[in-house]
Amino acid sequence: LEKDIATKKGKNDEDERKPWHLSPEFKELSINIVMKDMPQSMIDDVMYETKAAFEEYKLEKDIATKKGKNDEDERKPWHLSPEFKELSINIVMKDMPQSMIDDVMYETKAAFEEYKLEKDIATKIKSFFERKIEGSSWHCIIGKHYGMSITHATSNIIYFTIKSATAVTKPYHIVLFRSHDRDPQ
């Protein structure tokens, strides 16, 4: 590997190179800069080098989900998977396709394994769907006692309970729903 990856380009490359967001090389990629505190030229360097690294090392385009290309196709529906045998899940209401319900259950299980706080679990589930369906706005409510009144997009809501199959405690109630779509920026 080169000592300084950021300077792999020739001396005149930067002068001839377009800003990353104007370059046709990036038109097939979905890039969302959440926070930046650096000059545009440095952001351009980061974007070009990141793209080059992804291409060179053949990294998955969606590394946030940590899935291989066919994991979702080969994954069993959640209710047939042995991964869920230790959980008691009761779907109270649903209005979404089965593949989306499977995503909900797998993400919920992963979120409970990774986090302890309800807000963190809810954020992980919500964020998964906002990444998966670009430009969408999702909301996730988790708790043992709450009331709600919501408006949701058609075919984009599920309400279920989840707890350990052996636990004596009350289950968590989870509502996940999609509201209006956001304008892509």
Side-chain angles (χ1 to χ4, degrees):
L1 294 175
E2 293 183 24
K3 291 182 181 178
D4 188 3
I5 292 177
T7 60
K8 280 183 4 185
K9 57 190 173 300
K11 290 183 181 181
N12 294 326
D13 287 353
E14 192 172 305
D15 297 334
E16 297 169 16
R17 184 178 70 186
K18 291 181 180 181
W20 75 272
H21 60 282
L22 299 176
S23 172
E25 292 180 52
F26 290 88
K27 73 179 182 181
E28 298 296 320
L29 301 175
S30 174
I31 299 173
N32 182 20
I33 297 176
V34 178
M35 184 183 84
K36 62 180 179 182
D37 187 19
M38 60 176 69
Q40 185 61 46
S41 62
M42 194 177 284
I43 293 171
D44 292 341
D45 287 343
V46 168
M47 293 302 173
Y48 277 97
E49 291 305 317
T50 302
K51 183 177 181 294
F54 271 77
E55 290 168 353
E56 183 175 346
Y57 296 106
K58 296 177 178 53
L59 297 173
E60 296 293 324
K61 287 184 179 178
D62 186 10
I63 60 171
T65 61
K66 298 179 187 173
K67 294 180 182 176
K69 289 181 182 175
N70 297 319
D71 284 354
E72 214 170 277
D73 296 335
E74 297 171 11
R75 182 180 73 183
K76 290 183 179 181
W78 75 272
H79 59 283
L80 300 176
S81 172
E83 291 181 50
F84 291 87
K85 69 180 179 184
E86 300 298 321
L87 296 174
S88 173
I89 298 174
N90 178 34
I91 297 178
V92 178
M93 193 268 292
K94 64 181 178 186
D95 181 15
M96 64 174 48
Q98 184 60 46
S99 62
M100 195 177 283
I101 293 170
D102 291 339
D103 286 340
V104 170
M105 296 306 170
Y106 278 96
E107 277 305 303
T108 299
K109 181 179 180 298
F112 271 95
E113 290 170 352
E114 187 174 347
Y115 299 106
K116 299 294 178 215
L117 296 176
E118 294 167 0
K119 71 174 186 69
D120 296 332
I121 295 167
T123 299
K124 180 175 174 65
I125 298 166
K126 165 193 167 32
S127 297
F128 172 82
F129 282 92
E130 288 181 342
R131 282 191 315 270
K132 184 170 179 121
I133 304 170
E134 190 175 327
S136 64
S137 239
W138 287 82
H139 307 277
C140 186
I141 303 166
I142 298 179
K144 294 190 177 186
H145 303 286
Y146 61 85
M148 66 179 170
S149 175
I150 61 170
T151 302
H152 65 87
T154 304
S155 300
N156 285 276
I157 187 169
I158 187 167
Y159 169 36
F160 63 102
T161 62
I162 185 170
K163 71 173 195 153
S164 169
T166 58
V168 181
T169 63
K170 286 186 159 202
Y172 285 96
H173 292 256
I174 300 176
V175 178
L176 175 70
F177 63 97
R178 180 179 177 179
S179 63
H180 67 286
D181 289 345
R182 295 176 288 158
D183 291 330
Q185 296 176 1

